[in-house]
Amino acid sequence: MSQYKVKLLVLGPVSTDCYILYREGSKRAILIDPADTAGKIVDTLTELELEPEAVLLTHGHFDHIMAVTELKDRYGMKVYAHEEEAEIAENPGLNLSNQFGLSYALKVDETVREGEILEIAGFSLKVLHTPGHTKGSVCYYMEEDKLLFSGDTLFAGSVGRSDFPTGSGAVLIRSIQEKLATLPEDVQVFPGHGEQTNIGYEKTHNPFI
């Protein structure tokens, strides 16, 4: 199997990490948290000669979803999120867009749950339900490639905020300790904001774990 490729785009008002996941030599791709500026994402996909087949959301906050509708209309993709997160994506109050004078409401097409394996664009991604930042936050884990998209659950040297609607600090820490800290130490972590890290480094250096 060819090596995975991850293209990072930092987009939107709070510098959200949007990822394009694909394999070398393949035109099939997955978009993870298309944060903002759909035109830039389209330009990058065109440059890489990629056709995205799905949008995977780690959670429903506005800064992770603002480009989704335009991209969905262009490529005809389905949008995936946890079954408990659909309500947040659809509600401008819960997804925080109204706090910024915006009104984003996104309808999720497919809901996922803990332990589900998604087979999309030649990838197998396991859904890890990691509530705490929001009640339906998830991480997507590619076991074979030792790759984790952690959203706003785990950052390099930190963790996501837990003071937003449906968040809980205690639940967040438990999610990280039970679902993420138990992964192999060489698993590469691609977070929702900031720099890439790995599980081993975070277990040693992250003060919240």
Side-chain angles (χ1 to χ4, degrees):
M1 186 176 292
S2 59
Q3 175 67 22
Y4 71 80
K5 297 284 188 179
V6 179
K7 177 66 175 179
L8 166 65
L9 298 173
V10 181
L11 304 169
V14 290
S15 300
T16 303
D17 290 345
C18 165
Y19 298 104
I20 302 172
L21 174 65
Y22 63 104
R23 288 200 186 276
E24 203 169 53
S26 173
K27 295 185 180 297
R28 306 172 71 190
I30 297 172
L31 300 180
I32 299 172
D33 291 347
D36 198 2
T37 323
K40 185 171 183 178
I41 298 173
V42 170
D43 288 346
T44 304
L45 289 165
T46 302
E47 180 183 331
L48 296 172
E49 299 183 341
L50 297 173
E51 284 288 328
E53 297 184 6
V55 170
L56 303 186
L57 299 180
T58 60
H59 63 294
H61 282 160
F62 82 101
D63 60 306
H64 291 252
I65 68 172
M66 289 191 292
V68 173
T69 299
E70 189 173 338
L71 292 167
K72 182 180 172 182
D73 290 345
R74 181 184 178 97
Y75 294 105
M77 302 173 290
K78 287 187 176 180
V79 179
Y80 293 74
H82 190 267
E83 55 191 354
E84 291 190 45
E85 198 70 6
E87 172 193 7
I88 292 172
E90 293 177 15
N91 186 318
L94 294 178
N95 70 32
L96 309 180
S97 60
N98 64 0
Q99 293 188 18
F100 287 78
L102 306 169
S103 184
Y104 278 92
L106 174 68
K107 184 168 178 56
V108 172
D109 300 303
E110 299 283 346
T111 58
V112 300
R113 60 183 60 189
E114 164 67 24
E116 186 172 348
I117 305 293
L118 303 177
E119 301 283 353
I120 303 171
F123 292 98
S124 293
L125 302 104
K126 185 176 183 178
V127 177
L128 303 180
H129 182 209
T130 52
H133 181 63
T134 61
K135 64 179 180 179
S137 286
V138 298
C139 300
Y140 296 101
Y141 177 44
M142 292 163 47
E143 185 172 5
E144 185 176 342
D145 294 292
K146 293 192 172 180
L147 176 63
L148 181 81
F149 295 95
S150 63
D152 287 5
T153 296
L154 178 65
F155 300 136
S158 189
V159 299
R161 290 177 60 170
S162 56
D163 56 341
F164 295 133
T166 79
S168 165
V171 171
L172 176 65
I173 298 304
R174 186 165 66 246
S175 290
I176 293 171
Q177 291 177 339
E178 294 179 356
K179 302 285 182 68
L180 305 187
T182 55
L183 297 175
E185 293 194 352
D186 57 346
V187 169
Q188 297 298 304
V189 178
F190 291 81
H193 301 272
E195 298 178 353
Q196 179 183 342
T197 185
N198 64 69
I199 293 296
Y201 184 88
E202 295 311 308
K203 286 173 69 174
T204 303
H205 296 90
N206 193 314
F208 295 93
I209 298 178

